[in-house]
Amino acid sequence: DQQVKQNSPSLSVQEGRISILNCDYTNSMFDYFLWYKKYPAEGPTFLISISSIKDKNEDGRFTVFLNKSAKHLSLHIVPSQPGDSAVYFCAASAFNAGGTSYGKLTFGQGTILTVHP
Amino acid sequence: DSGVTQTPKHLITATGQRVTLRCSPRSGDLSVYWYQQSLDQGLQFLIQYYNGEERAKGNILERFSAQQFPDLHSELNLSSLELGDSALYFCASSASSGGLETQYFGPGTRLLVL
């Protein structure tokens, strides 16, 4: 039962253009969402987050949009740079889901982003 | 650099053996989380400790156990190792008990069971 899904295994974008990474979730208890970037042989690096009371959060070149009714979030990177090439993970947590998943992050399978010069 | 440290970086061992992975959280963080990343399963939550006590449990095998010490570092013990336990093990930390908080990840320990 995959509660967080990233349906695109890979995305290729030209430098300077927009990268849009998508994520869908099924658990309506999720109320905090995060995006992580990961290089091979390194741990995930936190990029940006959004709580369920917001529909948009922006940090520099990164913007996350949340559509609660569609249970969908997306990460926009503008402009994309070759250094952005990495695996991007969407993750979600539920503040209180019966006391059994407090703090637990549920991850999607990741999307490999390649930004071409 | 997230501020979370993990040792060792690599570990090669044989089936049936026991290993201990160590994690030091960011300064001031009270929660430590353990995740497993295998090729076919992605990143899976194993267990969370908050200020020395177990807080939440995921799909952690009975052969695995963890603890958090008074200085807040944590150890993940893996015993009776099987080939399928080969994976990347990540530790993360957060400021408080979890929920609406960002978790910061360490560089991981790559375990290979032969």
Side-chain angles (χ1 to χ4, degrees), chain B:
Chain B
D1 184 356
S2 67
V4 178
T5 60
Q6 288 186 250
T7 56
K9 198 168 175 61
H10 302 277
L11 204 45
I12 302 175
T13 188
T15 54
Q17 294 298 303
R18 182 180 192 274
V19 296
T20 297
L21 312 183
R22 183 189 167 104
C23 168
S24 292
R26 294 187 321 155
S27 177
D29 282 1
L30 297 177
S31 270
V32 168
Y33 309 80
W34 287 97
Y35 292 85
Q36 179 192 56
Q37 185 183 25
S38 52
L39 278 174
D40 57 343
Q41 291 291 322
L43 273 153
Q44 301 282 318
F45 170 75
L46 293 177
I47 197 164
Q48 176 196 0
Y49 275 83
Y50 169 65
N51 206 19
E53 297 200 358
E54 183 183 303
R55 182 77 173 181
K57 219 166 183 174
N59 298 324
I60 187 167
L61 299 171
E62 283 191 15
R63 301 183 285 109
F64 296 2
S65 65
Q67 54 184 324
Q68 187 179 27
F69 295 87
D71 67 352
L72 299 176
H73 90 270
S74 177
E75 292 181 357
L76 179 67
N77 301 296
L78 315 176
S79 60
S80 303
L81 284 167
E82 301 175 359
L83 295 177
D85 297 328
S86 296
L88 270 166
Y89 291 85
F90 290 105
C91 163
S93 73
S94 71
S96 188
S97 54
L100 304 173
E101 288 190 324
T102 297
Q103 294 178 25
Y104 294 90
F105 283 76
T109 293
R110 182 176 293 278
L111 174 66
L112 181 59
V113 183
L114 300 175

Side-chain angles (χ1 to χ4, degrees), chain A residues 10-22 56 58 60-65 74-82 84 88 111 113-116:
Chain A
S10 64
L11 175 68
S12 184
V13 169
Q14 207 67 31
E15 181 180 5
R17 307 295 290 267
I18 184 171
S19 295
I20 300 176
L21 297 110
N22 294 302
K56 177 182 173 181
E58 199 169 347
R61 296 186 298 115
F62 302 94
T63 303
V64 56
F65 296 91
S74 61
L75 174 68
H76 293 210
I77 307 174
V78 184
S80 301
Q81 300 171 353
D84 295 330
Y88 286 77
T111 296
L113 173 66
T114 305
V115 181
H116 298 283

